[in-house]
Amino acid sequence: MSSETFQITPKEKKMMQNKIVQVWRFIVLNLKILKAVDHSKRS
Amino acid sequence: MAKVVLIGAGFAGQTAALYLGKALGKDHDITVINKYDIFGYTPSWVWVGVGQMAPEKTVFKLKPVYDKFHIRFVQGTAKSVYVDDQYVLVDKADGGEEQVPYDYLIIATGARLNFAGTPGLGPHDGYTTSICSLPHAVDARDKFFQLMERMEKGEKVKIVVGTGHPGSTCQGAAFEYITNIHKVLLKRGLRDKADLMWLSNEPALGDFGVRGVHIKRHGKLIGSDEFIRAIFDLYDIRWQVQTGVRKVEPGKIYWENYEGVEGETEFDYAMLIPQFLGPGFTYYDKDGNDVTSKLANKGGFVLVDAIYGLPWDEMAHRPEAWPAVYQNPTYKNIFAAGIAFAPPGPISRPFTNPNGLSITAAPPRTGMISGIIGRVVALNIIDLIKRGRMTHSERMTEMFAACIASMGDSLWDGSAATIVIYPVVPDHRTYPNEEGRDLFVTDMEMGLAGAWMKRMIHSTFMHKLQGRIGWQLIPE
């Protein structure tokens, strides 16, 4: 599988420490884990 | 009254013990056999190893938890299992032997660290450090501090982190260790004094023994190889993959790569993950015959309901090759959970170099995966005792895992690379994309949110595994 070259740009570095963006990413990460857990618990 | 015995109190054993204790503790005999009287939260030993967390914050006493759940605790080392007479022979910590009888046995011992598999590896008889046990992590921390003292005097040093055997696993923990070393050195103003190098048996950077991860972001396909490479570029960490470490001497690591080329890498400080082996018990039948071959493979891992011996390309496309209930096919009252079970093969593509050396990342089965298997096995034993049949199953092709590699522990300006993988083993039937994974759940990113996740998971797991209020609501 080929993939585009990925670089961490100065803009992305800023976003990584932006508290509002990171609160959103924290919520998204938890939602993703809950989706996987939901399947797991039903087995 | 049924007798259930668990050997081991790590993620798998402790999770299973809580479920069994809650459901059966008052009416049946539940016994846990463990070498130590504490539970150790393995993922945070990375922080212990760089002096960012006190060792005592990663452990708790087992006995008070077991008392609450009506579980008997035997501190000692299980030596052998008598499969027909149904008892485990234990060398007790306070002296003497004990025969612990069982109707159902769960083997959840975790990994046996095979430092002897690589001459010169490890903190005891070798020249490298390890974060695979708490004493090892404390030793790694002390040696790292000594190294920093040398750096403070102006010495430039070489630090190597990665895998110490061609068949090692747990690359995620090693990755986390090297990024934490970078952060600590940066904070101490010593980063320019260290040459940091990643040395690993992975087929590609970011493989982590799970065939890597690909995600789509802003219409672009990003692979974990690109992601990890970008982090290493950012942190100025050199890297070398497709490499099997063969031997370590003071200040020198000897290796072979995919091409069969032999080489050496110099170091002042190295943390290399050893090969993991299974429990390595001897199993006896009623006549005293050694029946170990019916219960364990050559590495000592317990044989379960997997399909063994398939060619890798076939296994990679057959989810049913992975075990569902973790039950030994010959002795059906024996189960294995966590690292102790024998997987049907590696998740990452295996490779043998022209010299005949297999350089293959073993499949990770730690942390969340171990916890999930512990739960499935416990619920099935509860089923067998109460209903006479099992109703739970979960293959690694159905499990999720999160690898959160912290880079600094601050909740204000820390960071972590978060890789969420679902399922752990690609399943091309359920997810008919090239990745064989759920592309909504599977993700990787770097940022402060990961540092929050890492801290949250430490706190919630320590809460859960002590059986505190609401423990069952916290997923494994």
Side-chain angles (χ1 to χ4, degrees), chain A residues 1-8 12-13 16-19 22-23 25-26 28-37 39-41 43, chain B residues 19 214 221-222 226-227 230 375 392-394 398 400 412-414 422 434 438 440-441 443 445-449 452-453 456 475-476:
Chain A
M1 187 183 283
S2 66
S3 51
E4 297 283 335
T5 302
F6 173 72
Q7 283 182 322
I8 298 168
E12 279 173 321
K13 279 171 78 176
M16 285 174 194
Q17 289 299 323
N18 182 302
K19 304 293 183 287
Q22 292 303 310
V23 167
R25 294 312 304 168
F26 183 73
V28 169
L29 281 170
N30 275 285
L31 286 173
K32 283 170 182 275
I33 288 174
L34 284 174
K35 187 193 176 220
V37 167
H39 172 87
S40 178
K41 285 280 183 188
S43 69
Chain B
Y19 279 99
H214 284 81
L221 196 64
I222 301 167
E226 294 292 325
F227 182 65
R375 169 174 54 82
H392 298 270
S393 70
E394 195 155 338
E398 299 163 304
F400 90 101
W412 183 249
D413 62 356
Y422 179 66
E434 281 185 74
D438 183 323
F440 170 74
V441 175
D443 196 5
E445 63 179 63
M446 192 166 138
L448 181 60
W452 296 341
M453 288 289 291
M456 182 188 78
E476 283 73 35

Side-chain angles (χ1 to χ4, degrees), chain A residues 41, chain B residues 14-24 69 371 374-375 378-379 382 464 471-472 474 476:
Chain A
K41 285 280 183 188
Chain B
Q14 186 68 0
T15 304
L18 295 184
Y19 279 99
L20 287 163
K22 182 171 188 298
L24 306 173
F69 282 76
R375 169 174 54 82
L379 294 179
I382 295 163
K464 176 188 177 74
W471 68 270
Q472 275 181 297
I474 300 167
E476 283 73 35

Side-chain angles (χ1 to χ4, degrees), chain B residues 54-364:
Chain B
E56 57 272 19
K57 285 194 174 172
T58 66
V59 296
F60 61 79
K61 286 267 184 193
L62 290 170
K63 184 79 170 53
V65 180
Y66 294 160
D67 287 345
K68 202 164 59 180
F69 282 76
H70 312 282
I71 295 169
R72 181 176 169 246
F73 178 52
V74 176
Q75 191 184 347
T77 306
K79 284 199 310 189
S80 42
V81 181
Y82 291 77
V83 292
D84 290 326
D85 296 327
Q86 296 187 180
Y87 70 86
V88 180
L89 190 62
V90 182
D91 263 343
K92 293 185 74 176
D94 56 4
E97 286 184 343
E98 182 178 335
Q99 293 180 5
V100 183
Y102 67 82
D103 296 309
Y104 297 95
L105 174 66
I106 303 174
I107 300 172
T109 49
R112 194 158 42 102
L113 306 175
N114 184 27
F115 289 111
T118 309
L121 189 75
H124 298 302
D125 301 316
Y127 313 101
T128 62
T129 64
S130 154
I131 51 167
C132 297
S133 77
L134 189 54
H136 289 175
V138 171
D139 170 77
R141 177 199 66 188
D142 294 345
K143 286 175 180 159
F144 179 56
F145 282 180
Q146 288 164 14
L147 186 81
M148 286 198 292
E149 281 174 21
R150 284 164 53 189
M151 294 163 78
E152 278 163 357
K153 289 173 187 160
E155 191 179 338
K156 290 206 170 186
V157 300
K158 290 179 177 168
I159 299 174
V160 182
V161 176
T163 53
H165 186 278
S168 292
T169 181
C170 256
Q171 291 83 2
F175 170 72
E176 191 174 354
Y177 193 61
I178 198 168
T179 53
N180 270 280
I181 283 181
H182 163 82
K183 277 285 178 185
V184 170
L185 293 179
L186 205 63
K187 206 182 272 183
R188 299 272 292 256
L190 296 170
R191 184 60 186 88
D192 61 328
K193 298 278 190 303
D195 171 22
L196 277 180
M197 183 178 180
W198 173 253
L199 186 70
S200 151
N201 63 344
E202 298 160 286
L205 208 55
D207 180 273
F208 292 129
V210 294
R211 225 182 293 168
V213 177
H214 284 81
I215 61 159
K216 270 189 178 164
R217 182 160 298 162
H218 310 308
K220 288 180 185 172
L221 196 64
I222 301 167
S224 49
D225 53 341
E226 294 292 325
F227 182 65
I228 301 300
R229 185 178 295 144
I231 293 170
F232 281 178
D233 285 347
L234 188 69
Y235 289 178
D236 192 23
I237 296 171
R238 294 190 297 125
W239 54 273
Q240 178 178 327
V241 292
Q242 302 184 346
T243 303
V245 170
R246 302 304 307 273
K247 188 174 73 169
V248 183
E249 286 182 355
K252 237 173 223 179
I253 296 163
Y254 294 86
W255 47 259
E256 263 184 53
N257 66 12
Y258 267 25
E259 285 74 41
V261 175
E262 295 180 18
E264 52 195 59
T265 299
E266 293 185 349
F267 71 94
D268 294 284
Y269 177 92
M271 197 296 290
L272 300 175
I273 305 283
Q275 182 190 33
F276 288 179
L277 293 178
F281 301 140
T282 310
Y283 302 85
Y284 296 103
D285 69 6
K286 62 179 181 304
D287 301 318
N289 299 314
D290 185 335
V291 290
T292 303
S293 62
K294 289 183 183 172
L295 282 119
N297 67 11
K298 282 181 193 164
F301 296 105
V302 181
L303 298 169
V304 290
D305 54 312
I307 304 173
Y308 296 106
L310 292 176
W312 186 84
D313 283 302
E314 188 182 344
M315 187 202 80
H317 289 88
R318 287 183 64 179
E320 69 275 15
W322 289 82
V325 294
Y326 307 90
Q327 181 184 39
N328 181 261
T330 311
Y331 296 93
K332 292 190 179 294
N333 60 343
I334 297 180
F335 296 78
I339 297 173
F341 90 84
I347 303 169
S348 297
R349 183 174 285 280
F351 189 88
T352 302
N353 77 5
N355 305 331
L357 177 70
S358 171
I359 304 173
T360 303

Side-chain angles (χ1 to χ4, degrees), chain B residues 3 21 48 67 80 101 117 143 224 369 429 447 454:
Chain B
K3 299 183 190 74
V48 173
D67 287 345
S80 42
K143 286 175 180 159
S224 49
I369 299 167
R429 288 185 196 161
K454 182 83 181 174

